[in-house]
Amino acid sequence: MAMHYNAILLCWLSFTTVFSQTDNYIVHMDVSAMPKAFSSQRTWHLATLSSVFAGSKARSTTNITASAKLLYSYTHVISGFSAHLSSYELETLKNSPGYISSIKDLPVKLDTTHSPAFLGLSFNSGAGAWNVSNYGEDIIIGVVDTGVWPESESYSDKGISKIPERWKGECESGIQFNTSLCNNKLIGARFFNKGLIARNPKITLSMNSTRDTVGHGTHTSSTAAGNFVEGASYFGYAPGTASGVAPRAHVAMYKALWEEGAYTSDIIAAIDRAIIDGVDVLSISLGLNGFTLNEDPVALATFAAMENNIFVSTSAGNDGPFPGSLHNGAPWVLTVAAGTTDREFNGVLTLGNGVSVTGIALYRGNFSSIQIPIVFKGECFDLQDLFDAKQINIVVCEEGNTSLEDQFENIGIANVTGAIFITNSIDLESFIPTQFPAIFVNPKDGETIKSYINSSSKPQANMEFKKTNLDNKLAPSLTSYSSRGPSLSCPSVLKPDIMAPGSLILAAWPENILLELINADGTFRNFNLESGTSMACPHTAGVAALLKKAHPDWSPAAIRSAMMTTADTTDHTFGPIKDIGYANQPATPLDMGAGQINPNKALDPGLIYDVNSTDYVKLLCALNFTKEQIQTITKSPSNDCSSPSLDLNYPSFLAYFNARDSESNMTTVQEFHRTVTNVGEEMSTYTANLTRMKGLNISVTPSKLEFKAKNEKLSYKLVIEGPRKIEEGTIFGYLSWVDSKDKYVVKSPIAVTSLLLDTIGS
Ligand SMILES: *[C@@H]1O[C@H](CO)[C@@H](O)[C@H](O)[C@H]1NC(C)=O
Ligand SMILES: *[C@@H]1O[C@H](CO)[C@@H](O)[C@H](O)[C@H]1NC(C)=O
Ligand SMILES: *[C@@H]1O[C@H](CO)[C@@H](O)[C@H](O)[C@H]1NC(C)=O
Ligand SMILES: *[C@@H]1O[C@H](CO)[C@@H](O)[C@H](O)[C@H]1NC(C)=O
Ligand SMILES: *[C@@H]1O[C@H](CO)[C@@H](O)[C@H](O)[C@H]1NC(C)=O
Ligand SMILES: *[C@@H]1O[C@H](CO)[C@@H](O)[C@H](O)[C@H]1NC(C)=O
Ligand SMILES: *[C@@H]1O[C@H](CO)[C@@H](O)[C@H](O)[C@H]1NC(C)=O
Ligand SMILES: *[C@@H]1O[C@H](CO)[C@@H](O)[C@H](O)[C@H]1NC(C)=O
Ligand SMILES: *[C@@H]1O[C@H](CO)[C@@H](O)[C@H](O)[C@H]1NC(C)=O
Ligand SMILES: *[C@@H]1O[C@H](CO)[C@@H](O)[C@H](O)[C@H]1NC(C)=O
Ligand SMILES: *[C@@H]1O[C@H](CO)[C@@H](O)[C@H](O)[C@H]1NC(C)=O
Ligand SMILES: *[C@@H]1O[C@H](CO)[C@@H](O)[C@H](O)[C@H]1NC(C)=O
């Protein structure tokens, strides 16, 4: 289903290694056990490794072996190192002073002009986020990805301020990459592959440098912060001026994902380096499914980023629409779901009687303007019949007992001249970048086509492509592939957090890499359309850059809060945002989080819910992680677990009413405590407004918050009372704090669920 836009993922997944008894390990060490004699953690790590090898080898060679086996000595992200070890050596290492725990290095998968305008960012809005932040000027966005194609116009530094003095990063030289390729836009370029190479010693790297040979990193980084490029388009579709969300921000690329594979040891090293270099925002469009917070390298590494005041945007994953399918559910990052934009790509079928029918299409070629015969072939399941029809005809297929997938495949095999698919499906995104001329029409238009064919003695038609319609009122909708909550790694915090554009996003592409969506005909372009939560994540990273510029004193949690409490929950029809994965039913907070990001509103949210590292530690304690497990996340040997609490000061609410209890008709009560900080006007009064939630008693005390000063903090309590078993499975609602001047609505989603966590997820 999702195969078109996941083609890149597959090349990572299919990457296999020859079995060997050695492996890469990420080793957590207790830095308080480091003897004072060592000048740095690295020398301590080397000495620790040396003593492991000392048993088996001559002393003179152990130091050499140690430095060869040490992949990275980490400093910020975790306290410890990664090394290539045999299982025997690992066992020996476990007896070393300061050893806490270790995990095996793991392969990782990546989760691809118009979107800033769709988000309400434009030149001439006097008060918008672009204006107030000066397009994100001076902010540094670090991107951990497949590298960058520095020649792309999106990295032109025209109009970009000079490199901030605090910047400690570098533009590393390598194959087809030297420092002169960086400029005031692309200010950093580093690459990390020691883990990949240790796991695969015989590997030949296609490009041993930060240069992108995949396209993904060029696309995500230019989505976040690409400069303005006029005349961008995808074969005539989506024409216009392309730009990133924060077009004047600086970009630093950390290449840790390779065409040949990707490993967590390299990703941790990349994030470690980004923290040292001084990025302000990190965009991480990758993730690992099924790991606990203390073992998930992205969760570990991003905790350190949060402590260093770096905002981290991550992708929820492309494993939807199933509950519990998301990754990157750590409470200290922003977890981003993918939505559609209002941009629709069309083709037009003009029948011999002059009647035109418009449908969905993304065919890149041209079609002959002369009319050719059109035939109706029912469900298009008889291949021989299609072969007979192929040369001179436009073949019309209608969905029925034969699925659209099967029809699509048959038409592809038959190599028809042109095809019309009559379908009810609302989830066409993965089909439409066709290799053959094809238009997808709805059943109503299908009737028009069928009755023309049936009534004409010599039915004919022609097709036109490359039409772009910017008026799809059902936008934004949640995509079906976007991974869903709850977060199995931290179930008490509602995830995902927010939705951003992820479908068919136009952004820069390496000009010598075959376009991914359709790659058979050897076409190269400097812009490409890609889909996935990978594409949604850099949008929010760009918004974070704008907010950070406008509010330099805001913490990462404050920025996240501003995004979430001002998100839109309605589409352009003013109805609730729909979920393509569930037949256009309203998307719930467990699917899209707080809603569609709205950067202009996020600039001035009124109130914020702030969280700091102490609060996250209290949460980890309440999640029953052991002392050592918490230490692997925080690096600190002393974590105060005297007041554990699952009740994080988060701008959303998720309550579990356990249906497994025998007395399922008894009532249960859950309380949430929150503290909001006034970042709006000095004197302001907010009143709580709750949506009705069927079968539940919900109350807020106090129901009025009266602020007398800026940055004043006030607390409230939300109490939810209801039956142990929620008949509907999950009930949703919203708590909004509305200020008396009607300027601010600070909105939080509420979900009350009977979901049993151990029965969901992959
Ligand atoms: C090995 O490293 C240790 C500590 O780093 C050092 O004291 C020792 O001299 C080194 N040995 C050799 C043979 O280089
Ligand atoms: C912001 O808007 C004001 C008023 O329209 C304008 O004078 C100013 O130049 C704008 N700033 C930017 C960075 O666009
Ligand atoms: C890649 O380049 C770095 C220096 O830029 C070099 O140290 C390393 O050996 C190279 N690795 C491979 C596999 O070519
Ligand atoms: C860097 O590479 C560019 C293009 O490949 C080349 O023109 C330039 O001379 C190189 N600069 C240095 C300092 O090597
Ligand atoms: C398609 O038509 C456009 C103009 O209508 C032309 O510029 C373009 O070269 C054509 N493409 C192909 C592949 O023939
Ligand atoms: C689909 O299959 C059902 C049951 O096999 C059959 O009754 C029905 O006529 C079929 N529909 C079409 C359009 O072929
Ligand atoms: C499909 O048909 C066209 C012309 O009808 C031909 O040029 C092309 O080679 C065919 N492709 C395949 C894969 O058979
Ligand atoms: C074609 O028309 C005939 C008679 O008008 C009708 O019986 C038949 O169902 C029609 N077929 C289609 C595919 O619309
Ligand atoms: C976090 O905030 C609490 C008050 O809400 C404060 O007591 C604590 O010291 C803060 N922790 C850090 C690391 O700033
Ligand atoms: C943690 O352990 C305590 C005591 O065993 C238990 O009551 C609580 O439900 C556990 N919490 C979680 C989140 O599993
Ligand atoms: C709950 O159900 C049990 C048996 O189904 C019944 O005996 C009891 O009265 C019910 N309690 C309430 C509060 O409705
Ligand atoms: C309060 O919420 C209701 C919906 O539950 C909404 O109709 C109403 O407009 C809200 N009031 C304010 C002041 O936002």
Side-chain angles (χ1 to χ4, degrees):
M1 195 55 227
M3 283 309 129
H4 286 96
Y5 42 81
N6 277 347
I8 290 184
L9 309 189
L10 291 179
C11 89
W12 263 287
L13 291 175
S14 61
F15 182 78
T16 53
T17 52
V18 180
F19 173 80
S20 76
Q21 296 218 279
T22 58
D23 211 325
N24 297 347
Y25 295 90
I26 293 155
V27 182
H28 295 275
M29 300 291 285
D30 181 355
V31 72
S32 65
M34 179 171 95
K36 296 263 181 304
F38 289 103
S39 57
S40 70
Q41 289 196 40
R42 185 181 165 82
T43 52
W44 180 43
H45 297 154
L46 274 172
T48 303
L49 276 177
S50 296
S51 62
V52 165
F53 304 127
S56 54
K57 295 203 177 68
R59 230 172 221 295
S60 59
T61 63
T62 57
N63 281 9
I64 302 160
T65 313
S67 55
K69 297 266 180 154
L70 181 73
L71 302 173
Y72 300 103
S73 190
Y74 303 116
T75 55
H76 283 64
V77 156
I78 61 176
S79 174
F81 58 90
S82 49
H84 192 70
L85 303 169
S86 69
S87 44
Y88 171 78
E89 288 159 349
L90 179 69
E91 286 312 308
T92 315
L93 179 68
K94 287 181 179 172
N95 300 319
S96 303
Y99 173 91
I100 299 176
S101 62
S102 59
I103 50 172
K104 220 185 229 181
D105 201 2
L106 295 164
V108 174
K109 69 172 183 175
L110 275 181
D111 284 328
T112 303
T113 51
H114 170 76
S115 40
F118 179 59
L119 291 175
L121 295 169
S122 61
F123 290 111
N124 39 18
S125 62
W130 265 2
N131 186 289
V132 173
S133 71
N134 200 8
Y135 308 93
E137 184 166 47
D138 292 333
I139 302 296
I140 303 166
I141 303 181
V143 182
V144 179
D145 215 303
T146 62
V148 69
W149 189 262
E151 291 85 0
S152 163
E153 260 186 281
S154 295
Y155 304 107
S156 149
D157 64 358
K158 192 165 157 255
I160 309 297
S161 60
K162 61 182 200 322
I163 301 173
E165 280 182 12
R166 65 200 151 88
W167 178 240
K168 298 203 229 18
E170 235 181 85
C171 189
E172 290 177 354
S173 297
I175 308 295
Q176 291 181 39
F177 210 102
N178 65 32
T179 52
S180 62
L181 291 173
C182 287
N183 58 16
N184 289 340
K185 162 61 75 180
L186 181 66
I187 66 170
R190 295 186 186 270
F191 55 105
F192 303 84
N193 55 25
K194 288 183 186 161
L196 169 68
I197 292 168
R199 276 289 303 258
N200 310 277
K202 298 210 180 96
I203 202 167
T204 309
L205 294 175
S206 55
M207 185 70 71
N208 186 20
S209 73
T210 315
R211 185 173 290 279
D212 188 1
T213 60
V214 175
H216 194 273
T218 301
H219 199 280
T220 57
S221 57
S222 61
T223 298
N227 209 335
F228 294 98
V229 179
E230 283 169 21
S233 89
Y234 175 79
F235 297 90
Y237 290 101
T241 300
S243 97
V245 174
R248 286 196 188 150
H250 306 287
V251 176
M253 175 56 68
Y254 295 85
K255 177 173 173 180
L257 308 167
W258 298 78
E259 202 178 325
E260 294 79 20
Y263 283 89
T264 56
S265 55
D266 293 324
I267 291 164
I268 293 174
I271 298 174
D272 204 40
R273 198 66 232 187
I275 294 172
I276 299 167
D277 288 351
V279 304
D280 300 305
V281 173
L282 265 175
S283 184
I284 306 180
S285 289
L286 59 94
L288 289 96
N289 289 342
F291 285 88
T292 55
L293 291 178
N294 63 308
E295 294 196 328
D296 177 347
V298 177
L300 291 175
T302 54
F303 190 91
M306 173 276 297
E307 284 183 304
N308 282 276
N309 215 27
I310 297 168
F311 183 92
V312 184
S313 178
T314 66
S315 47
N318 301 333
D319 296 320
F322 314 105
S325 51
L326 67 74
H327 55 221
N328 294 327
W332 43 85
V333 301
L334 185 78
T335 314
V336 187
T340 63
T341 72
D342 59 349
R343 182 173 61 195
E344 199 173 82
F345 301 116
N346 292 146
V348 177
L349 177 77
T350 304
L351 303 169
N353 61 3
V355 173
S356 294
V357 166
T358 299
I360 308 289
L362 194 52
Y363 176 64
R364 299 173 312 165
N366 295 336
F367 197 76
S368 143
S369 58
I370 56 156
Q371 298 230 319
I372 63 167
I374 182 168
V375 292
F376 179 61
K377 288 290 174 192
E379 296 199 14
C380 290
F381 64 86
D382 185 343
L383 261 178
Q384 193 51 52
D385 194 26
L386 292 178
F387 273 120
D388 294 344
K390 74 174 182 180
Q391 285 304 341
I392 35 124
N393 294 317
I394 296 172
V395 175
V396 181
C397 310
E398 184 172 33
E399 210 174 349
N401 290 343
T402 311
S403 70
L404 183 59
E405 274 97 340
D406 290 342
Q407 294 184 1
F408 190 84
E409 198 183 322
N410 290 347
I411 289 289
I413 294 169
N415 188 21
V416 300
T417 306
I420 301 293
F421 295 98
I422 302 171
T423 173
N424 236 334
S425 174
I426 50 170
D427 191 10
L428 294 171
E429 188 176 321
S430 58
F431 291 106
I432 60 171
T434 50
Q435 307 256 18
F436 46 85
I439 301 174
F440 298 79
V441 304
N442 65 35
K444 185 169 158 281
D445 290 335
E447 284 309 317
T448 307
I449 297 167
K450 276 160 54 187
S451 72
Y452 162 71
I453 293 172
N454 203 14
S455 64
S456 166
S457 55
K458 201 169 159 253
Q460 288 194 318
N462 77 327
M463 295 157 109
E464 270 180 280
F465 293 94
K466 304 183 183 179
K467 310 280 181 194
T468 302
N469 164 21
L470 292 181
D471 198 24
N472 175 17
K473 290 267 192 291
L474 266 188
S477 296
L478 184 68
T479 62
S480 60
Y481 58 78
S482 192
S483 291
R484 311 304 167 93
S487 160
L488 299 183
S489 64
C490 186
S492 58
V493 174
L494 198 162
K495 291 277 179 173
D497 294 308
I498 207 150
M499 180 171 97
S503 267
L504 300 172
I505 302 301
L506 185 73
W509 197 251
E511 62 211 35
N512 73 339
I513 297 183
L514 293 176
L515 294 180
E516 184 199 335
L517 291 173
I518 309 112
N519 52 17
D521 66 352
T523 310
F524 303 102
R525 283 294 189 281
N526 51 8
F527 276 82
N528 193 14
L529 290 171
E530 290 274 291
S531 293
T533 54
S534 275
M535 281 64 237
C537 168
H539 277 91
T540 50
V543 174
L546 303 180
L547 297 179
K548 195 138 187 154
K549 172 71 180 178
H551 302 285
D553 56 325
W554 282 7
S555 70
I559 293 174
R560 176 177 58 200
S561 173
M563 290 176 178
M564 288 173 66
T565 61
T566 59
D568 294 327
T569 54
T570 53
D571 63 19
H572 291 190
T573 68
F574 306 105
I577 290 175
K578 311 293 190 299
D579 183 348
I580 294 174
Y582 288 96
N584 272 353
Q585 293 297 303
T588 77
L590 280 171
D591 305 315
M592 65 165 182
Q596 170 86 347
I597 191 166
N598 185 328
N600 293 337
K601 276 163 71 188
L603 206 55
D604 190 14
L607 305 176
I608 55 175
Y609 293 78
D610 210 350
V611 188
N612 69 19
S613 53
T614 310
D615 304 320
Y616 292 123
V617 169
K618 286 184 183 173
L619 174 75
L620 293 171
C621 300
L623 286 169
N624 290 343
F625 285 109
T626 66
K627 195 168 169 293
E628 284 178 350
Q629 288 169 334
I630 297 175
Q631 184 175 351
T632 62
I633 298 170
T634 66
K635 301 177 303 300
S636 165
S638 57
N639 295 293
D640 181 6
C641 275
S642 59
S643 51
S645 172
L646 287 177
D647 195 8
L648 193 68
N649 196 40
Y650 217 78
S652 57
F653 303 90
L654 176 55
Y656 292 89
F657 282 12
N658 194 346
R660 204 174 270 149
D661 284 0
S662 50
E663 296 182 62
S664 61
N665 57 356
M666 280 175 63
T667 61
T668 185
V669 178
Q670 190 159 339
E671 286 189 9
F672 297 91
H673 300 85
R674 294 288 186 272
T675 300
V676 284
T677 309
N678 178 23
V679 297
E681 276 154 33
E682 215 165 62
M683 306 282 287
S684 44
T685 303
Y686 286 82
T687 309
N689 188 11
L690 283 162
T691 55
R692 219 177 68 79
M693 292 173 72
K694 200 174 138 241
L696 301 177
N697 266 332
I698 319 184
S699 64
V700 178
T701 33
S703 61
K704 221 179 220 34
L705 298 173
E706 292 182 54
F707 292 94
K708 304 213 161 34
K710 205 149 178 168
N711 293 321
E712 184 184 350
K713 290 176 190 284
L714 290 176
S715 299
Y716 70 87
K717 183 171 80 174
L718 174 77
V719 181
I720 305 174
E721 191 183 341
R724 288 237 168 138
K725 182 160 174 62
I726 306 289
E727 290 304 333
E728 292 83 353
T730 309
I731 304 179
F732 302 96
Y734 291 91
L735 163 62
S736 301
W737 288 97
V738 184
D739 90 304
S740 56
K741 295 178 193 128
D742 255 351
K743 181 170 174 194
Y744 299 113
V745 178
V746 186
K747 189 172 179 180
S748 292
I750 305 171
V752 180
T753 184
S754 289
L755 265 179
L756 297 170
L757 290 173
D758 51 12
T759 65
I760 60 170
S762 45

